[in-house]
């Protein structure tokens, strides 16, 4: 596994680099024998003397894990971020195991959406929305859009540690989106079907 350790306005010593490599090799060896690469970046907090650590791990083709943490020292920041990566991998392996056991129980009714429920939440009083005519675009990236079931897309959303995921629904063949809602639940957007 190719592991790169760098610092953004922080000097990263050999001992810290070695600890990062050892810990990530151990995590990868425990869950995946052929992990591809990982990038560990250390930095300073914006308003204090705390350290930040961001880990982006490419475990296998199409599976990218992200973990971030901050701490009073670089070692603590790394340990927290590595713990998040390990937790994501554990959940991924558990979901794969559960999915493989559940495939035998799958039926044709699995793609019926007629019984889906929804709730409309009222706005919280006292919050004022600030009108912005043209918000600043921070970053644009190109990404492959995976083809997956809804449950696999939720798993990828969780593993990638992102706010939203666009995917092609393997059951219907149309593009869907899953996202983290403000109340901690997962939202699922599917376009109307022509009828």
């Amino acid at each position: 596994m190719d592991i790169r350790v760098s610092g953004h306005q922080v000097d990263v010593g050999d001992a810290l680099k070695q600890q990062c490599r050892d810990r990530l090799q151990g995590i990868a060896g425990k869950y995946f024998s052929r992990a591809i690469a990982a990038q560990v970046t250390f930095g300073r907090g914006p308003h204090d003397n705390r350290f930040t650590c961001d880990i982006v791990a490419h475990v296998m083709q199409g599976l990218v894990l992200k973990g971030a943490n901050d701490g009073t020292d670089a070692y603590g920041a790394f340990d927290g971020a590595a713990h998040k990566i390990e937790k994501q991998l554990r959940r991924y392996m558990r979901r794969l195991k559960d999915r493989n056991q559940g495939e035998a129980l799958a039926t044709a009714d699995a793609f019926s959406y007629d019984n889906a429920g929804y709730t409309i939440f009222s706005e919280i009083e006292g919050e004022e929305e600030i009108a912005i005519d043209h918000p600043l675009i921070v970053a644009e990236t190109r990404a492959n859009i995976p083809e997956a079931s809804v449950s696999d897309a939720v798993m990828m959303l969780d593993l990638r540690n992102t706010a939203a995921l666009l995917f092609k629904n393997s059951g219907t063949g149309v593009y869907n989106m899953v996202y983290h809602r403000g109340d901690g639940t997962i939202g699922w957007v599917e376009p109307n079907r022509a009828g």
Side-chain angles (χ1 to χ4, degrees):
M1 179 173 170
D2 179 31
I3 300 172
R4 296 185 181 165
V5 181
S6 61
H8 181 69
Q9 298 179 351
V10 172
D11 185 27
V12 180
D14 292 335
L16 181 58
K17 287 181 182 180
Q18 191 59 44
Q19 180 180 351
C20 293
R21 288 187 183 106
D22 292 345
R23 176 89 187 268
L24 291 176
Q25 286 286 6
I27 292 170
K30 185 174 180 181
Y31 295 101
F32 290 96
S33 60
R34 295 186 205 156
I36 300 171
Q39 173 68 41
V40 181
T41 307
F42 290 95
R44 288 283 194 176
H47 304 291
D48 55 15
N49 290 331
R50 296 177 66 85
F51 285 88
T52 61
C53 178
D54 295 312
I55 301 174
V56 178
H58 299 271
V59 179
M60 58 188 207
Q61 187 66 29
L63 179 59
V64 178
L65 304 176
K66 296 179 182 178
N69 194 38
D70 64 348
T72 56
D73 65 340
Y75 291 94
F78 171 74
D79 285 338
H83 178 71
K84 290 177 183 178
I85 294 287
E86 188 169 13
K87 183 177 178 182
Q88 290 173 1
L89 278 172
R90 260 196 323 270
R91 284 161 63 197
Y92 175 72
M93 296 305 289
R94 184 176 51 236
R95 286 180 180 173
L96 280 181
K97 181 180 174 186
D98 292 346
R99 184 183 71 181
N100 290 337
Q101 290 174 350
E103 281 180 358
L105 304 174
T107 62
D109 295 333
F111 296 109
S112 174
Y113 304 111
D114 296 336
N115 61 353
Y118 63 91
T119 305
I120 299 174
F121 294 96
S122 61
E123 292 183 16
I124 298 172
E125 293 183 27
E127 285 189 8
E128 295 181 13
E129 243 181 75
I130 299 172
I132 300 175
D133 291 336
H134 301 288
L136 179 65
I137 297 173
V138 176
E140 292 182 5
T141 59
R142 294 187 186 269
N144 293 330
I145 299 174
E147 183 170 339
S149 66
V150 177
S151 61
D152 287 347
V154 171
M155 181 173 55
M156 283 188 257
L157 174 74
D158 189 34
L159 290 171
R160 293 180 181 184
N161 199 17
T162 59
L165 175 72
L166 178 68
F167 67 101
K168 186 174 183 180
N169 191 323
S170 60
T172 62
V174 297
Y175 290 99
N176 291 191
M177 182 177 69
V178 290
Y179 62 96
H180 286 285
R181 295 172 46 105
D183 61 357
T185 59
I186 302 290
W188 173 24
V189 177
E190 182 179 35
N192 286 332
R193 296 187 202 177

